[in-house]
Amino acid sequence: QVQLVESGGGLVQPGGSLRLSCAASRSIYSITSMGWYRQAPGKQRELVAFITSGEATNYAESVRGRFTISRDNAKNTVYLQMNSVKPEDTAVYYCYLNTRVIYWGQGTQVTVSS
């Protein structure tokens, strides 16, 4: 069993920045991928970004150019740097880890509002 602990969510003004962290209870060096989904009220969960074992990254069109995903293997942690946030980025953000089995974090709330 793998535990994922997310942190960094909160309230931020439009145009501001926020950094989410997801710490895994095991090494992330050889995982298939790790990333973030989000779910806004009344909407389906959507993929935000992910990073592979080979450091390849992929982003949803709605966040490309504003969000950056990165990983620190020494800390077993993946980060999501969120810049130029918009009200439509408001959602619960869930971290996931894919290593043949998919594990999920508990979610962290991000609210973009003035």
Side-chain angles (χ1 to χ4, degrees):
Q1 189 71 13
V2 178
Q3 278 73 49
L4 302 175
V5 179
E6 298 133 331
S7 60
L11 175 64
V12 59
Q13 292 187 342
S17 297
L18 209 58
R19 189 176 81 155
L20 305 183
S21 301
C22 176
S25 61
R26 55 150 282 175
S27 170
I28 64 171
Y29 182 78
S30 61
I31 61 168
T32 301
S33 66
M34 196 165 174
W36 298 88
Y37 277 74
R38 68 185 180 186
Q39 187 166 21
K43 294 187 177 182
Q44 288 189 330
R45 191 175 292 193
E46 64 171 348
L47 179 64
V48 177
F50 69 85
I51 186 166
T52 70
S53 59
E55 304 287 337
T57 58
N58 202 312
Y59 298 91
E61 186 62 36
S62 59
V63 307
R64 189 171 292 123
R66 300 188 296 121
F67 291 9
T68 302
I69 190 168
S70 62
R71 57 193 284 174
D72 185 336
N73 291 339
K75 296 182 178 180
N76 298 331
T77 300
V78 167
Y79 303 97
L80 184 69
Q81 179 66 44
M82 306 167 60
N83 296 330
S84 303
V85 296
K86 305 175 181 179
E88 50 263 44
D89 294 322
T90 295
V92 178
Y93 284 70
Y94 296 92
C95 172
Y96 81 92
L97 183 153
N98 182 4
T99 175
R100 292 188 290 179
V101 175
I102 296 179
Y103 300 92
W104 293 94
Q106 79 285 358
T108 185
Q109 176 70 46
V110 172
T111 302
V112 182
S113 175
S114 55

